[in-house]
Amino acid sequence: MTVQTSWRRRAALTTAALACCASALAGLPSGAAAAPATPAASAAATTFSDDFNGPAGAAVDGGKWQIETGDNVNNHERQYYTSGNKNAALDGQGNLVITARKENPGNYQCWYGRCEYTSARLNTSGKFTQTYGHAEARMKIPRGQGIWPAFWMLGADIGSVGWPNSGEIDIMENVGFEPGTVHGTLHGPGYSGSGGIGAGYTLPGGEAFADKFHTFAVDWSPNKITWSVDGKVYQTRTPADLNGNRWVFDKPFFLILNLAVGGYWPGDPNGSTPFPSKLVVDYVRVTSNN
């Protein structure tokens, strides 16, 4: 589905605004010793699952995902999100590949003029929402200056209450100039944009997230959200972290996957940025709380 609405433009703003200060936000230091992983979610009921099985070139399952289209002036991103399987397709090997390309065959127009890049953004709004549980995705993220992959959630009431009152849970964001670090962040009323509450996680030994697949997850329960990478917990947030502001995470949220190019936080691509750039998603899975 390719409907463009005003909340999507506001929602797209959130990842850029939060990002500018994410690495400095409160939480465990990057690369801090990991706490024991939360109990295995496999004991809980699976409520959403997509293993992206299907023939090479096929579009994503329209019963699970809708595809957004258009540009994003709020973040000053450079890409145009396209429909169908143009930039989001199965690879025939059990993966979804979201591809950012330096091209514009459709003569798409962006906020800055003729678009220079295309990519894709998917969400489950109107198809799947959940309150609490364990959400994870196993992905291999791309590398390169100006590249900005994200796996995140928005409150399903965003159409009526707007952002940031809807709440936003950023499970994983990466910007190309930090190849070994990902960020997890909360946004809500009084702690949005650069005031988002979150922390970064850095791989040891100079490793880069683009080198192999990693699993990014949150465990979410009343008054508590915990982030992990490959089962290693790196931060936990509760209402006590919000400086007296309102906790807005006790209601249904939907999922989002996207690969942005450029923007306030990552900066623009340059001559060193490889294209096409691919976010490869092995699976997305959500389970209920035990």
Side-chain angles (χ1 to χ4, degrees):
M1 184 174 180
T2 60
V3 175
Q4 181 80 35
T5 63
S6 60
W7 69 258
R8 289 201 181 97
R9 289 184 177 267
R10 293 196 299 271
L13 165 64
T14 56
T15 43
L18 70 91
C20 63
C21 294
S23 61
L25 296 174
L28 293 180
S30 294
T38 53
S42 58
T46 299
T47 53
F48 179 92
S49 180
D50 200 335
D51 294 316
F52 303 110
N53 293 320
V60 293
D61 184 346
K64 297 179 179 179
W65 303 94
Q66 63 171 323
I67 300 178
E68 301 180 36
T69 61
D71 66 341
N72 181 12
V73 62
N74 294 317
N75 282 350
H76 274 205
E77 296 168 14
R78 295 282 174 175
Q79 82 291 324
Y80 186 94
Y81 289 129
T82 66
S83 61
N85 65 348
K86 295 176 182 177
N87 292 79
L90 307 186
D91 66 358
Q93 300 177 33
N95 301 304
L96 163 66
V97 181
I98 298 178
T99 304
R101 298 185 176 93
K102 189 175 183 180
E103 64 172 16
N104 186 353
N107 197 31
Y108 305 116
Q109 298 300 304
C110 287
W111 59 270
Y112 57 88
R114 190 175 188 275
C115 304
E116 299 172 350
Y117 308 91
T118 61
S119 190
R121 173 166 156 165
L122 293 67
N123 73 61
T124 66
S125 178
K127 300 175 185 294
F128 170 79
T129 64
Q130 184 161 308
T131 307
Y132 311 135
H134 176 93
E136 71 174 44
R138 183 174 183 265
M139 302 185 290
K140 184 177 181 181
I141 68 174
R143 71 177 78 226
Q145 169 58 36
I147 299 300
W148 187 2
F151 173 43
W152 48 303
M153 298 192 289
L154 281 172
D157 59 354
I158 190 168
S160 59
V161 305
W163 184 88
N165 290 322
S166 61
E168 176 179 330
I169 304 170
D170 294 307
I171 302 171
M172 186 286 300
E173 290 187 285
N174 168 264
V175 285
F177 61 80
E178 293 180 332
T181 300
V182 294
H183 299 270
T185 314
L186 291 181
H187 292 266
Y191 50 101
S192 61
S194 63
I197 305 297
Y201 175 83
T202 299
L203 290 170
E207 295 179 50
F209 277 99
D211 292 339
K212 61 183 180 181
F213 282 88
H214 293 273
T215 301
F216 307 97
V218 292
D219 285 276
W220 173 26
S221 58
N223 295 325
K224 182 179 179 181
I225 302 175
T226 297
W227 284 255
S228 64
V229 175
D230 298 328
K232 299 173 183 177
V233 172
Y234 71 96
Q235 72 166 326
T236 296
R237 297 295 171 183
T238 71
D241 294 304
L242 305 186
N243 301 312
N245 291 303
R246 185 162 52 96
W247 180 266
V248 290
F249 307 101
D250 298 313
K251 59 186 177 183
F253 276 63
F254 60 87
L255 305 170
I256 305 170
L257 279 169
N258 71 285
L259 177 57
V261 179
Y264 288 126
W265 186 24
D268 289 339
N270 59 29
S272 70
T273 308
F275 287 101
S277 181
K278 297 183 178 183
L279 171 62
V280 184
V281 187
D282 179 18
Y283 66 80
V284 176
R285 197 162 297 140
V286 182
T287 56
S288 64
N289 284 335
N290 290 325

